[in-house]
Amino acid sequence: MDPATVAIFERLKVFLEFSQADADRLVALQPAMAKHGPSITTEFYKRLGEVPETAKFIKGRVEELRVTHLAWLRSLVGGVYDESYLASRWKIGLTHVRIGLDPYWVEAVMSFIRTAGVEAIIAELRDSATAGRHASSFLKVCDLDMLIINLSYAEDRLDRLASFTGIKRSLFETIIRIPKK
């Protein structure tokens, strides 16, 4: 991974106050995710299949994608959130860019994942204070994933513009930062 991207990832973790305690709570959620992950994944693909804009991306591939999605859900609670984790999320973002999925769909489905994940946590951890702490950690990791995926979209778009136009990427970055009056 590009060192600048790794630095951004580390700054985002600090900003979100994503700590070792969060990682430990996420690991503790592995049984809940193992139990609820398959139904979350089934509902996830059911919803995607109901929307023509997203259904076209999964047609004929749902079973294969379910395996990938379950692995992704397990990695959310895997306990390791390092450079390899960043690289895997970056790859997810670029895969979505490559297939032409608009980023707002990624955000919408992440909202579904957040909600379904919190519901699973509440179902498994009856103590509200414990469930709240674990849900907070789950939301942080989902947000971290979303931030990385969004960053990969933005970076890819800038790279494409620079390549297509022949204009240096740094000029695009400068233009983007000029305050709009």
Side-chain angles (χ1 to χ4, degrees), residues 36-173:
H36 295 273
S39 61
I40 291 170
T41 296
T42 297
E43 181 63 21
F44 175 79
Y45 284 107
K46 177 181 171 280
R47 288 183 184 212
L48 288 177
E50 292 170 347
V51 179
E53 252 182 294
T54 56
K56 65 184 178 186
F57 296 114
I58 65 169
K59 186 176 181 179
R61 300 180 56 225
V62 173
E63 290 310 313
E64 167 193 346
L65 292 170
R66 277 189 180 139
V67 171
T68 304
H69 191 262
L70 279 169
W72 173 75
L73 284 174
R74 282 191 303 273
S75 70
L76 283 176
V77 296
V80 178
Y81 309 95
D82 58 7
E83 191 172 332
S84 64
Y85 183 89
L86 165 64
S88 73
R89 278 24 191 197
W90 195 268
K91 183 179 176 185
I92 291 169
L94 293 180
T95 298
H96 289 119
V97 170
R98 183 182 46 77
I99 67 170
L101 182 66
D102 287 317
Y104 58 83
W105 284 113
V106 178
E107 296 202 23
V109 297
M110 186 60 90
S111 178
F112 167 77
I113 296 299
R114 285 185 196 99
T115 301
V118 168
E119 288 171 354
I121 291 165
I122 291 168
E124 295 302 310
L125 303 176
R126 303 286 181 191
D127 175 68
S128 61
T130 302
R133 285 188 298 276
H134 285 71
S136 174
S137 297
F138 184 76
L139 293 172
K140 285 180 188 181
V141 78
C142 286
D143 289 342
L144 190 59
D145 270 37
M146 192 72 259
L147 291 165
I148 297 164
I149 291 168
N150 280 341
L151 185 58
S152 71
Y153 264 87
E155 293 292 315
D156 184 77
R157 287 178 170 185
L158 283 174
D159 287 343
R160 286 175 188 235
L161 278 171
S163 176
F164 181 75
T165 64
I167 298 172
K168 288 186 178 183
R169 182 186 156 124
S170 60
L171 180 57
F172 281 120
E173 291 171 348

